[in-house]
Amino acid sequence: MDSGGFVTARDRQDESECSKRQKCSQGEEDRISNLPDFIIGHILTFLRFKDAIRTSVLSQRWIYMWTYITKLGLHDGVYQINKTTFINFVCRMLLHLNASNINEFHLILEEKYDPYIIGQLISLVSNKKIKVISLRSINECSISCYPIFKCQSLEKLELAMGHSIIQFPSFVCLSSLTALYLVAIRNPMKITCYSSNQSKELTLKFPVLRDYISCDCIWLDVKRVTIDAPLLEKVIIDRQWDYSSNVSHAEIEIRASYVTNYLYRSYVSSETTLLDAAHVAEASIYLSDDSKVNMSGQELKIFVRKLFNINNLKGLILQNLAPMEHYLADISAFGMLSNLCISYFVTIENLLCLLLKSPCLETLVLKYPIYSAKKPLKFAIVPECFLSTLKVVRFAKFAGGQQEFSFAKFVMEKSQVLESISFSCYKLRGAKMKKVKKKIFSVKRSCNIEFSDHLDT
């Protein structure tokens, strides 16, 4: 029924609820809009950059709020515009930012760009007292890092490039850098020196660096690289590409006294790494199976010496000792090594050589069937660790061969403090398994023996 010009109780109730919603909405808007510019900029940092810009349509107050953001993440594949438009867009954004410093700048490029243009972008970012720079390019994107290495506020630097040449100055000193990641994408990344320095030596000083990761990077036309990082804790050098067509003769010296975690995975190459680390607790060394080792015997001997130049090592993982089997006798002793793991391809002779250089070894793990290059086997010398420290031995892939059994028997009979030895049998079932067990249990020993019929890695 029509109420005419009269206001009913229902109308008053609807108006009251609408008024409450408007006041509530207005009150919430006021609380955010009345915040200081830098706080609003910090809030907008958690949005995608495109969404942060869209807030400019909210009101007059919000037109330029996006310029106070402190974190930029840009990807040319997201904006669906051509290369020129994208670069112009990025430049305008960087020029219009009101923040005196940008905490983070992440740039992902799928297209190929002029190196000069990328250099201009890096210069713009470096002038903003940046803390984190991450540059990723799938295609070739050769750049000069000179503007980056002038930025003393930089705390983390990631360069992930595909088939690119990165130019470093001959001397770099970044007082705030704590993490340096040099990562190749799809193809090796080449690092060179653009200085007129004829000796081609690079010195990188990072007083507070904690993490250093180098993946598939080649030091091109560089003789020596010195990384001076006294507080460095983690070092990863990973080279999975075949460098036969990209020969590097650089010597990388890492001056660091507090490294606790070290991983080296590579083909055998003339490029060597010397780690001056007295406190390395754990190290992993993986040598890829490469039959095309293009090094003389003397060069390989030097390579092996430098690779194992870690005196106070406590834990070591080794994979594929075949390329350096003739030079293991020349390496220094592991005076503090307590845990040794062989994960792939080792002869019994090489293993004994390592055991003789590990007087304090407590745990030995063999993750792959071992074999002997000679017949019959002769165990002329008992390693010192057998007499005083070796307590645990694990065969993670015991195949049950005669040579393996001979070594296991040698361990059980000669180890005076051995507490347990375990065999995870590899492809042994039924009658074969029973035969192997009977053979093992027939050995005179004073330790516990454990068997499992599955692969235990």
Side-chain angles (χ1 to χ4, degrees):
M1 182 176 179
D2 189 3
S3 60
F6 295 96
V7 179
T8 65
R10 178 66 176 270
D11 293 334
R12 285 195 294 270
Q13 183 179 359
D14 291 344
E15 286 183 8
S16 176
E17 291 179 356
C18 181
S19 176
K20 287 180 180 179
R21 285 195 298 268
Q22 289 177 349
K23 289 180 179 179
C24 181
S25 176
Q26 186 177 12
E28 289 179 359
E29 181 182 353
D30 287 340
R31 283 198 294 269
I32 296 177
S33 297
N34 290 331
L35 291 172
D37 294 345
F38 73 94
I39 293 181
I40 294 177
H42 180 70
I43 295 173
L44 293 181
T45 295
F46 294 95
L47 299 177
R48 291 187 307 171
F49 189 54
K50 291 171 63 175
D51 295 332
I53 294 178
R54 286 170 179 163
T55 62
S56 61
V57 302
L58 293 177
S59 68
Q60 189 74 19
R61 169 83 168 93
W62 284 81
I63 291 179
Y64 298 108
M65 283 298 99
W66 66 268
T67 64
Y68 289 92
I69 63 176
T70 59
K71 179 180 178 180
L72 277 175
L74 301 169
H75 183 177
D76 62 354
V78 172
Y79 292 88
Q80 298 180 346
I81 54 180
N82 62 49
K83 294 193 297 183
T84 303
T85 305
F86 174 74
I87 292 297
N88 290 337
F89 166 73
V90 176
C91 289
R92 287 200 304 271
M93 297 304 103
L94 292 173
L95 291 171
H96 282 83
L97 289 179
N98 283 320
S100 59
N101 64 292
I102 305 174
N103 290 331
E104 298 185 28
F105 178 71
H106 302 264
L107 181 63
I108 301 176
L109 302 175
E110 294 185 6
E111 300 290 337
K112 185 176 179 179
Y113 293 87
D114 186 328
Y116 175 77
I117 294 176
I118 302 303
Q120 292 297 104
L121 288 180
I122 293 174
S123 294
L124 286 174
V125 172
S126 301
N127 291 332
K128 294 286 185 178
K129 297 181 180 179
I130 191 77
K131 293 183 179 179
V132 176
I133 293 180
S134 175
L135 300 178
R136 289 178 169 264
S137 176
I138 297 174
N139 292 306
E140 182 177 351
C141 183
S142 300
I143 60 172
S144 169
C145 290
Y146 183 75
I148 294 177
F149 290 132
K150 288 174 60 180
C151 185
Q152 292 302 315
S153 60
L154 193 62
E155 297 177 3
K156 179 180 177 180
L157 174 60
E158 179 187 33
L159 299 176
M161 303 291 181
H163 197 64
S164 301
I165 297 179
I166 310 299
Q167 294 181 326
F168 279 31
S170 59
F171 179 81
V172 173
C173 182
L174 291 178
S175 57
S176 302
L177 192 70
T178 60
L180 175 61
Y181 305 145
L182 305 174
V183 182
I185 299 178
R186 294 183 180 176
N187 291 286
M189 184 171 71
K190 302 172 184 177
I191 304 175
T192 187
C193 174
Y194 61 74
S195 171
S196 59
N197 185 356
Q198 296 298 321
S199 63
K200 296 295 183 181
E201 294 187 359
L202 297 181
T203 301
L204 311 178
K205 295 180 70 68
F206 306 124
V208 296
L209 190 70
R210 296 297 196 280
D211 293 353
Y212 172 69
I213 298 177
S214 172
C215 295
D216 287 313
C217 293
I218 301 172
W219 298 91
L220 187 64
D221 296 327
V222 175
K223 293 181 179 179
R224 185 178 180 85
V225 181
T226 302
I227 301 175
D228 193 350
L231 301 183
L232 190 61
E233 297 173 355
K234 181 170 74 173
V235 175
I236 296 178
I237 299 175
D238 193 351
R239 303 187 187 101
Q240 293 300 292
W241 288 92
D242 183 355
Y243 294 139
S244 57
S245 60
N246 298 286
V247 178
S248 172
H249 297 279
E251 180 176 272
I252 299 98
E253 180 182 0
I254 302 176
R255 296 177 181 174
S257 301
Y258 297 97
V259 174
T260 57
N261 194 313
Y262 176 55
L263 183 147
Y264 181 93
R265 177 164 49 201
S266 176
Y267 286 88
V268 176
S269 70
S270 54
E271 180 176 297
T272 58
T273 300
L274 179 61
L275 181 64
D276 177 20
H279 298 84
V280 176
E282 300 292 333
S284 301
I285 297 176
Y286 301 84
L287 293 181
S288 300
D289 189 12
D290 183 12
S291 59
K292 299 179 293 184
V293 178
N294 188 23
M295 296 175 66
S296 67
Q298 185 63 26
E299 288 176 328
L300 189 54
K301 186 176 182 179
I302 295 173
F303 171 82
V304 172
R305 280 182 178 176
K306 292 181 177 179
L307 184 62
F308 288 96
N309 186 33
I310 311 174
N311 297 326
N312 297 322
L313 195 62
K314 295 181 180 179
L316 178 62
I317 299 175
L318 292 175
Q319 175 175 299
N320 190 23
L321 298 176
M324 52 188 180
E325 59 184 358
H326 301 296
Y327 305 98
L328 290 176
D330 297 321
I331 65 176
S332 301
F334 301 111
M336 299 181 65
L337 187 67
S338 58
N339 296 283
L340 175 62
C341 176
I342 307 293
S343 64
Y344 196 62
F345 284 147
V346 63
T347 65
I348 294 174
E349 289 77 17
N350 288 340
L351 178 57
L352 283 172
C353 183
L354 291 172
L355 292 175
L356 289 170
K357 292 181 177 293
S358 307
C360 299
L361 192 68
E362 298 177 5
T363 302
L364 172 64
V365 179
L366 302 172
K367 288 194 172 184
Y368 203 83
I370 55 175
Y371 63 96
S372 175
K374 300 178 182 179
K375 293 182 182 180
L377 285 174
K378 292 183 179 180
F379 303 107
I381 304 176
V382 176
E384 184 180 343
C385 60
F386 280 32
L387 307 177
S388 57
T389 59
L390 187 64
K391 297 179 180 180
V392 177
V393 176
R394 289 181 55 212
F395 291 83
K397 273 190 175 182
F398 189 73
Q402 181 59 42
Q403 295 173 332
E404 273 191 305
F405 172 74
S406 296
F407 179 75
K409 181 181 178 182
F410 174 64
V411 171
M412 288 188 286
E413 290 181 342
K414 300 299 182 181
S415 298
Q416 297 184 9
V417 296
L418 189 66
E419 296 176 357
S420 68
I421 183 169
S422 61
F423 301 87
S424 184
C425 294
Y426 182 55
K427 296 181 179 180
L428 292 177
R429 299 291 185 273
K432 289 184 178 180
M433 184 71 165
K434 290 181 180 179
K435 184 178 180 180
V436 168
K437 282 186 176 181
K438 183 178 179 180
K439 201 172 182 180
I440 292 293
F441 279 111
S442 67
V443 178
K444 183 179 179 181
R445 82 283 175 189
S446 59
C447 62
N448 294 325
I449 299 178
E450 298 177 3
F451 269 93
S452 61
D453 58 359
H454 63 279
L455 179 60
D456 179 15
T457 57

